[in-house]
Amino acid sequence: MPAINLLFIYATGSLFFCITISLIFSNTIQIDHQLLSAMAAAIPETFYISHGSPTLSIDESLPARHFLKSFQHKCFSTKPKAILIISGHWETSEPAVNAVSGPSGTIYDFYGFPDQMYRLKYPAPGSPDLANRVKELLLKSGFETVHVDKKRGLDHGAWVPLMLMYPEADIPVVQLSVQTNKDGAHHYRMGRALRTLKDDGVLIVGSGAATHNLRKMNRDGSNRVEKWAQDFDSWIKEALAEGRYEDVNRYEEMAPNAKMAHPWPDHFYPLHVAMGAAGENTTGELIHHSWTHGTLSYASYRFADKAK
C-alpha cells in the first residue's frame, strides 16, 4: 500500500479519535455543570430587609446593622450563586434591570452625610446573564416592556445592606427597579414571575423600610414609638404571618395609617416583590425588629413555606 494512503488512513483515524474524545469530554463537562447547578440550586426563601438610614453603613449603635452582619450566621447560611435585589431607590416607569459587566459601581445617592460614607465601596460583580433571565421571565409573564441598563451600579438601598450581609462582595448582584406609578399587586406579580430564579440558586431580596415617613421622624432623641407607626407596623407583621398577601397588596385601603407610614410607596414595594417571589403556601416571618426616631421601623422578614 502506498505510503501516502497509509498516512491518510492514520490521519483520518487520529482525527476521528480526537473528535470522539472531545465529544465525550464535552458531554461530561455539561453533565457535571448541570449537576453542580442542581446542587447550588433551590433557595426556598426570599427576604425583605429594612435598610433605614444610609448611616446603617457606619453606625455601630444601630441594632439593624448588627442583625445584617449576622445574617449569614443566623438567617441564611447557604452562599447564593447570585443575588437579585429590589431597592426602593431605583424608580422607573417600567421595569428595569441593571446588567453590569465587571465590578458594580457604588452610587452615593445621599447628601450631607459623614465623609467616610462616600469612601465606602461595594464592587460586587454584575451578571448580564441573570439580568437577561430576569427580563425574559418578566416578558414571558406579560410585562410588555423591560429595560436593561448596562451602566447603572448599585444604589445605597442595595449596597449598604449587602455590604453588611456579604462583605466579601464576591457574589454577582443584579438590581431591579420599582414602579411608583403602579400598585402593590403589580410588584407582587413581578415577584411571582421571578420565583423560578430561586431554583437556580438566586437569592431574592427586597430592600426598603417597613415604615418610611422622613418628615415625621422624631429628632429630639426620644425613643417613644409613634402610635400611627406602631399600628401600621403591627398590622403588616400580622398580615404576613397569616399569609394574607392579598390584604398586603391592598395595604393602602386595608392597613391603618397607610398613607402616614408610606406617603410614597417606593420603600414598600420591594416587600411585594419578595412576597410574590416566595410562591404559594408561604408566610412572612419577622426576623428583626428595631426602631429609630420613633417612626422608622427596621422590621425585616423571611418568606418561606408555612411548614417551616
Side-chain angles (χ1 to χ4, degrees):
M1 182 178 294
I4 191 169
N5 288 344
L6 288 174
L7 182 61
F8 176 77
I9 293 171
Y10 175 78
T12 303
S14 297
L15 179 62
F16 179 77
F17 176 79
C18 290
I19 292 173
T20 302
I21 294 298
S22 176
L23 288 173
I24 292 173
F25 184 74
S26 175
N27 289 336
T28 301
I29 292 295
Q30 184 176 5
I31 292 170
D32 287 347
H33 176 75
Q34 291 171 349
L35 288 173
L36 289 172
S37 178
M39 290 172 63
I43 292 180
E45 301 102 334
T46 63
F47 293 87
Y48 173 73
I49 302 298
S50 288
H51 65 254
S53 168
T55 56
L56 183 69
S57 61
I58 61 169
D59 190 349
E60 293 290 347
S61 72
L62 293 174
R65 175 179 170 86
H66 298 283
F67 155 67
L68 291 173
K69 289 176 73 173
S70 69
F71 181 83
Q72 292 187 62
H73 175 64
K74 294 184 177 179
C75 298
F76 189 71
S77 60
T78 303
K79 185 175 182 177
K81 199 161 63 174
I83 298 171
L84 174 65
I85 189 163
I86 304 91
S87 165
H89 290 278
W90 189 15
E91 300 178 40
T92 58
S93 59
E94 296 168 322
V97 61
N98 73 338
V100 176
S101 296
S104 299
T106 304
I107 300 174
Y108 305 102
D109 50 337
F110 45 78
Y111 309 95
F113 287 86
D115 289 344
Q116 69 186 100
M117 292 172 58
Y118 300 94
R119 293 192 293 271
L120 297 172
K121 303 287 184 183
Y122 192 74
S127 177
D129 287 345
L130 175 56
N132 288 330
R133 179 65 176 150
V134 169
K135 177 179 179 178
E136 174 189 332
L137 288 171
L138 290 174
L139 291 174
K140 187 177 179 181
S141 296
F143 292 85
E144 294 183 358
T145 304
V146 180
H147 301 278
V148 175
D149 190 326
K150 297 182 179 181
K151 296 182 178 180
R152 192 181 195 279
L154 302 175
D155 60 53
H156 83 269
W159 68 261
V160 169
L162 290 179
M163 180 184 69
L164 301 173
M165 297 161 68
Y166 297 101
E168 298 84 2
D170 60 350
I171 302 172
V173 177
V174 164
Q175 187 172 337
L176 178 65
S177 68
V178 296
Q179 290 76 65
T180 51
N181 58 326
K182 302 293 184 179
D183 59 10
H186 165 88
H187 291 82
Y188 180 77
R189 289 193 297 271
M190 285 176 65
R192 284 184 58 82
L194 300 171
R195 64 189 185 276
T196 57
L197 292 176
K198 298 181 299 175
D199 297 333
D200 298 325
V202 178
L203 179 63
I204 299 175
V205 180
S207 177
T211 58
H212 194 252
N213 189 334
L214 302 184
R215 293 186 178 182
K216 295 296 182 180
M217 291 194 309
N218 296 333
R219 302 183 187 275
D220 57 3
S222 171
N223 292 322
R224 177 177 55 86
V225 177
E226 297 292 336
K227 187 178 185 304
W228 62 262
Q230 182 71 70
D231 288 349
F232 179 87
D233 193 66
S234 296
W235 184 89
I236 290 298
K237 176 185 174 183
E238 293 173 6
L240 294 178
E242 296 169 4
R244 293 189 283 114
Y245 293 170
E246 184 55 35
D247 287 352
V248 179
N249 284 342
R250 299 166 53 209
Y251 76 97
E252 289 182 303
E253 59 183 284
M254 301 293 291
N257 310 309
K259 269 295 183 183
M260 183 71 83
H262 288 281
W264 197 244
D266 52 344
H267 277 56
F268 202 48
Y269 284 165
L271 179 142
H272 293 85
V273 181
M275 188 171 70
E280 302 294 338
N281 198 39
T282 61
T283 57
E285 172 196 2
L286 184 70
I287 54 176
H288 174 75
H289 198 223
S290 58
W291 293 89
T292 58
H293 302 294
T295 63
L296 195 60
S297 171
Y298 280 89
S300 296
Y301 293 90
R302 179 205 333 257
F303 294 94
D305 190 272
K306 288 181 180 179
K308 295 189 177 183

